[in-house]
Amino acid sequence: MSDPIKNRYEFVILFDVENGNPNGDPDAGNMPRVDPETGLGIVTDVCLKRKIRNYVETVKEDAAGYRIYVKDGVPLNRSDTEAYKALDVDEKTIKEKKKSDPDLDRKVRDWMCANFYDIRTFGAVMTTFVKAALNCGQVRGPVQLGFARSVEPIVPQEVTITRVAITTEADAEKKGTEMGRKYIVPYGLYRCEGYISANLARKTTGFSEEDLSLLWEAILNMFENDHSAARGKMAVRELIVFKHDSELGCASAWKLFDTVRIVRRDSENGTPARSYQDYQVDVDESALPAGVTCVRMG
């Protein structure tokens, strides 16, 4: 692995959905998540991190140093046990070995960071209550995402469909079709803000320039291998990156985020937005503090 990153970053992700459900809410029958006070659509950070993890897993195929810790069908304890085996310890002997090697906890943590890309990136809680002795520590990752919110209020629609997929033999004797429902957002443009700490990368996980390049690639392509009928047409339209010329940064994150302005074109006509071209995205680079540069990808 190469050296950790040396610059702090903030970034803004702009993505949209057309005739799909970007993030269903289990508490509302899997309808698209909505802020009840404002009507703005919501996509959770967990949902977006899942897309990033899936992309890295797809392109790296469990290559050394780029495995995924939080993945479908793999219990966390299975991966934790690998770290113990690599360091020649187990649940029964680790307490005794810590007496002779006080640095053992850090070695276990570092092994996990070196082998799993998502731990190196997002961090992880690697302590389980099922098997308390199996403890690989807790890592605060340098990359953090907030919830994504739609730029304008969304109007989720419930679409009734007719399907011929009859479930049981008894039902098949009575009917040839069944009714079903799908929930969609006709169109929504979402904005997500994120942070990357070079300080945490250096002190804890070792998140490197190569890891950073892969992160940008994963964000830009996180929906490209995730298309489904339920999610409709989803795409990352732009990734706006603010780079500081120091480890701790040169300005408050909110000042940088405020330079990104998204406005409706021809908003006077009162028609709802139905495409990305209905918006204009500008970055006021003249308002950027000294030591901060902006790069727009997409």
Side-chain angles (χ1 to χ4, degrees):
M1 292 291 177
S2 60
D3 293 336
I5 59 172
K6 294 179 172 59
N7 304 87
R8 194 184 105 186
Y9 295 85
E10 275 82 40
F11 58 93
V12 176
I13 309 169
L14 300 179
F15 65 91
D16 60 0
V17 57
E18 182 180 328
N19 295 327
N21 184 351
N23 188 198
D25 185 352
D27 293 326
N30 208 44
M31 289 185 65
R33 295 181 188 271
V34 178
D35 180 341
E37 293 185 316
T38 64
L40 297 179
I42 296 173
V43 174
T44 66
D45 61 318
V46 174
C47 175
L48 296 177
K49 288 177 182 178
R50 181 74 270 152
K51 311 300 182 194
I52 294 171
R53 285 184 170 102
N54 288 347
Y55 179 83
V56 172
E57 184 177 8
T58 298
V59 299
K60 290 298 185 179
E61 296 185 337
D62 284 339
Y66 292 96
R67 295 170 59 196
I68 297 299
Y69 181 64
V70 181
K71 63 187 296 185
D72 185 40
V74 180
L76 300 182
N77 274 164
R78 186 184 302 172
S79 300
D80 296 337
T81 302
E82 290 185 42
Y84 274 41
K85 289 181 178 178
L87 296 170
D88 194 28
V89 296
D90 56 36
E91 301 95 317
K92 298 178 180 179
T93 62
I94 190 166
K95 287 186 178 180
E96 284 298 319
K97 291 198 174 183
K98 282 182 183 179
K99 295 178 182 178
S100 58
D101 186 0
D103 216 23
L104 186 56
D105 283 338
R106 183 192 59 78
K107 291 178 181 178
V108 172
R109 183 201 70 190
D110 288 352
W111 190 93
M112 297 295 286
C113 288
N115 282 272
F116 294 95
Y117 177 82
D118 54 338
I119 295 177
R120 210 160 55 245
T121 304
F122 303 124
V125 177
M126 299 171 286
T127 305
T128 61
F129 293 102
V130 177
K131 220 172 186 181
L134 196 60
N135 180 4
C136 293
Q138 298 183 23
V139 176
R140 182 182 172 192
V143 180
Q144 299 298 330
L145 299 175
F147 278 23
R149 289 184 178 271
S150 62
V151 174
E152 294 185 292
I154 62 170
V155 182
Q157 295 183 6
E158 182 179 12
V159 180
T160 303
I161 58 174
T162 304
R163 64 179 190 173
V164 297
I166 307 303
T167 306
T168 66
E169 291 287 348
D171 287 342
E173 294 174 2
K174 302 174 186 176
K175 55 188 177 181
T177 61
E178 287 185 340
M179 305 305 290
R181 288 181 174 83
K182 294 182 70 173
Y183 299 107
I184 66 168
V185 176
Y187 183 79
L189 175 63
Y190 289 75
R191 169 177 173 155
C192 175
E193 297 170 349
Y195 315 81
I196 303 178
S197 168
N199 186 255
L200 284 175
R202 175 177 60 83
K203 290 182 176 179
T204 309
T205 73
F207 185 79
S208 67
E209 292 291 344
E210 286 81 0
D211 293 331
L212 181 65
S213 296
L214 180 57
L215 176 67
W216 298 147
E217 178 186 331
I219 289 174
L220 288 169
N221 294 283
M222 62 182 171
F223 299 119
E224 295 307 311
N225 296 292
D226 189 60
H227 295 297
S228 72
R231 279 182 287 279
K233 182 181 176 182
M234 295 188 68
V236 173
R237 293 293 187 162
E238 189 166 4
L239 172 60
I240 302 170
V241 177
F242 298 101
K243 179 179 180 180
H244 299 253
D245 65 5
S246 66
E247 181 182 284
L248 297 179
C250 309
S252 299
W254 66 266
K255 292 182 180 179
L256 306 181
F257 293 144
D258 281 356
T259 65
V260 180
R261 299 169 186 168
I262 307 169
V263 296
R264 276 286 302 279
R265 302 179 191 269
D266 302 324
S267 58
E268 296 80 7
N269 61 21
T271 59
R274 284 297 181 266
S275 74
Y276 186 66
Q277 286 66 39
D278 290 336
Y279 293 94
Q280 179 173 328
V281 180
D282 294 311
V283 179
D284 185 5
E285 297 195 34
S286 65
L288 293 179
V292 178
T293 55
C294 176
V295 177
R296 300 176 69 168
M297 312 177 195

